[in-house]
Amino acid sequence: MNKTKGYSMFIFLFALRLQQFIGAKTLFVSLVLICTLVNAQEEFLSKEEAVKLTLENNLGIKIAENNKEIAKNNKSALNTGYLPTLTATGSGSLDINDQEATFQDGSVREVDGAETKRYSAALNLGYTLFDGLGRWYNLKRLKEEYNLSDLQARQTIENSIIQLFTVYFEVARITENVGVLTETKANTQDRLKRAEYSFEYGQVNKLEVLNAQVDLVNDSINLMNEKQLLANTLRDLNIVVNQDMERTFNVDTTVTFVSPLDLETYVKEAEVNNIRLLLANSNISISDYNLKASRSVYLPTVGLTGSYGWNEGNFPATNFLASNTSTGVSAGINLTWNLFDGGSGITNNKNAKLALENQEVQKEQVLLEVKRDIANAKGDYENRLKVYRLQEQNVITATNNFDRSSERYKLGQITSVELRQAQINLLNAQTSKNLAKYNAKLAELQLLQLTGQLLNIQY
């Protein structure tokens, strides 16, 4: 848009330099026409740029990427239990008491408000040497959960790409329809002019003119409605790519299809690359690690402890010591074996086995559904592609029919009603071809998503 404004300014300054050579009125008219043409140029949004904007700005993808970062944090060394713990403690106390002490020699000493002060500080270190392999399998589970979050992010991206092209191709279809309706309206305008001239010279009656006027109104209404639909659909596309809702642009209306040989290879490798099957495999691995980690309850836990401490005490006269200070290091090893925890460990282990079995059964169900979906999608794509090829031939036939009908109408061999029917047939054939083209491409993209290749192709 800034570049367009720059062009307009350049033209304006250049026109002022030409003012001495041409008239002011001619200058003004030329300047207005040129600036109008320049400003009418709209931004072009290619398929690649639309994908880039979606990946960068789509809100659903941002949420999926954040969830992936959370899983990445969870699998780090700071969350696995493999690092030691280090704590610092400190305390101080003051006791004030009235004391009466009797010693072995029978003497008695009384102190009112005797103060006893104690201070301590320590650093405590703890480390688990062995916990029944619970940490080991939990770490593997956390790594697999990160892999799962990566797959979920990919699934979100694939769904967003399908959503993007569903709207993008709708914009492209309506754009082509606007072109078709514009051409149809222009043909009707020419027909109206011809009918008016023929009526002036007495070659046709007023009915021919009225029919052309009615058809022109209908064509104008259809064009207006299609342009409004285009504006609405552009807003939908701006929502998907998270751009200004009123941003306008042109889109790419060319469509290319994947070669049949490549598509057949993708279908054969679908069980390896399909995102639902990959998610099912990841969930099985997570359940398996949970089961193995739950068995750690049957084994002992061995840990190391160590501390470095300082203690100081100040005592009243009734105590044998006036003060005492000690510093030192201590270390130890401990073993804990939970012989029976009331049955919760056994229950968790049984439930983990059932959870793993459920994931395996669910994968079998997903595999059947994926095979069915791929077969349906492949058949749907092939059928839509054939329909598109037939519609292309139909447009050629309808175009020839309309051209011949136009020539015969000019020669007075057919009526305006017959010409209008040929025009409507051509209009329907062109719009049907546009619909068939993008339906076939969307069916191909859905098939590619099922085979796991949606992100590996040129759009």
Side-chain angles (χ1 to χ4, degrees), residues 48 106 295 415 426:
E48 293 76 13
R295 293 170 181 164
T415 65
L426 176 59

Side-chain angles (χ1 to χ4, degrees), residues 77-365:
L78 299 176
N79 191 49
T80 59
Y82 274 98
L83 298 179
T85 60
L86 181 64
T87 59
T89 60
S91 65
S93 65
L94 171 63
D95 296 332
I96 301 176
N97 300 295
D98 295 332
Q99 297 182 359
E100 180 181 329
T102 303
F103 298 96
Q104 293 292 338
D105 59 1
S107 62
V108 178
R109 181 176 294 178
E110 293 183 2
V111 178
D112 294 333
E115 294 184 357
T116 302
K117 299 177 181 178
R118 295 184 176 88
Y119 307 97
S120 66
L123 286 175
N124 301 304
L125 179 70
Y127 183 70
T128 301
L129 293 174
F130 179 75
D131 68 343
L133 297 178
R135 287 180 306 178
W136 172 257
Y137 290 116
N138 282 333
L139 175 60
K140 286 183 172 293
R141 175 181 57 82
L142 292 172
K143 289 182 178 180
E144 189 59 41
E145 285 180 352
Y146 172 73
N147 180 50
L148 178 66
S149 68
D150 189 40
L151 292 173
Q152 290 171 338
R154 172 188 151 185
Q155 185 180 43
T156 301
I157 291 173
E158 288 183 356
N159 292 336
S160 299
I161 295 299
I162 291 294
Q163 180 187 17
L164 164 67
F165 280 113
T166 299
V167 183
Y168 186 95
F169 287 144
E170 182 66 6
V171 172
R173 183 186 71 84
I174 297 173
T175 299
E176 289 196 283
N177 285 352
V178 168
V180 170
L181 290 170
T182 301
E183 183 180 0
T184 301
K185 179 183 175 182
N187 290 333
T188 305
Q189 287 175 328
D190 291 340
R191 183 182 129 214
L192 175 60
K193 290 180 181 179
R194 180 177 295 276
E196 289 173 341
Y197 291 148
S198 298
F199 176 70
E200 290 179 4
Y201 290 100
Q203 296 178 351
V204 297
N205 57 32
K206 186 66 174 178
L207 183 61
E208 293 287 334
V209 177
L210 295 176
N211 286 336
Q213 289 176 341
V214 171
D215 292 339
L216 181 60
V217 170
N218 290 331
D219 291 344
S220 299
I221 292 174
N222 292 335
L223 181 58
M224 289 170 55
N225 290 337
E226 202 70 11
K227 286 182 177 180
Q228 182 60 49
L229 181 60
L230 177 60
N232 295 344
T233 312
L234 279 171
R235 295 188 186 97
D236 294 337
L237 182 56
N238 281 324
I239 291 296
V240 175
V241 298
N242 198 15
Q243 297 291 298
D244 179 19
M245 192 177 301
E246 298 304 323
R247 175 189 177 196
T248 58
F249 44 79
N250 293 321
V251 298
D252 189 0
T253 58
T254 60
V255 167
T256 57
F257 296 97
V258 177
S259 70
L261 291 178
D262 289 340
L263 200 59
E264 194 65 32
T265 301
Y266 297 155
V267 171
K268 291 179 180 178
E269 298 174 353
E271 293 185 18
V272 179
N273 300 313
N274 178 269
I275 188 64
R276 291 185 63 195
L277 289 173
L278 292 175
L279 287 170
N281 289 331
S282 183
N283 282 321
I284 288 176
S285 297
I286 291 172
S287 296
D288 184 52
Y289 292 138
N290 281 331
L291 173 60
K292 292 176 179 177
S294 69
R295 293 170 181 164
S296 64
V297 71
Y298 302 130
L299 298 175
T301 299
V302 179
L304 290 177
T305 60
S307 67
Y308 175 80
W310 166 79
N311 295 277
E312 179 180 337
N314 297 310
F315 309 105
T318 55
N319 199 295
F320 290 105
L321 300 175
S323 64
N324 180 42
T325 301
S326 64
T327 58
V329 177
S330 64
I333 185 169
N334 56 66
L335 183 147
T336 304
W337 198 335
N338 193 350
L339 298 177
F340 184 69
D341 62 354
S344 61
I346 297 174
T347 302
N348 291 336
N349 183 254
K350 290 181 178 179
N351 290 339
K353 287 181 180 179
L354 293 174
L356 175 58
E357 183 180 345
N358 284 341
Q359 291 297 336
E360 291 172 343
V361 172
Q362 186 172 358
K363 180 190 174 180
E364 294 179 6
Q365 181 179 359

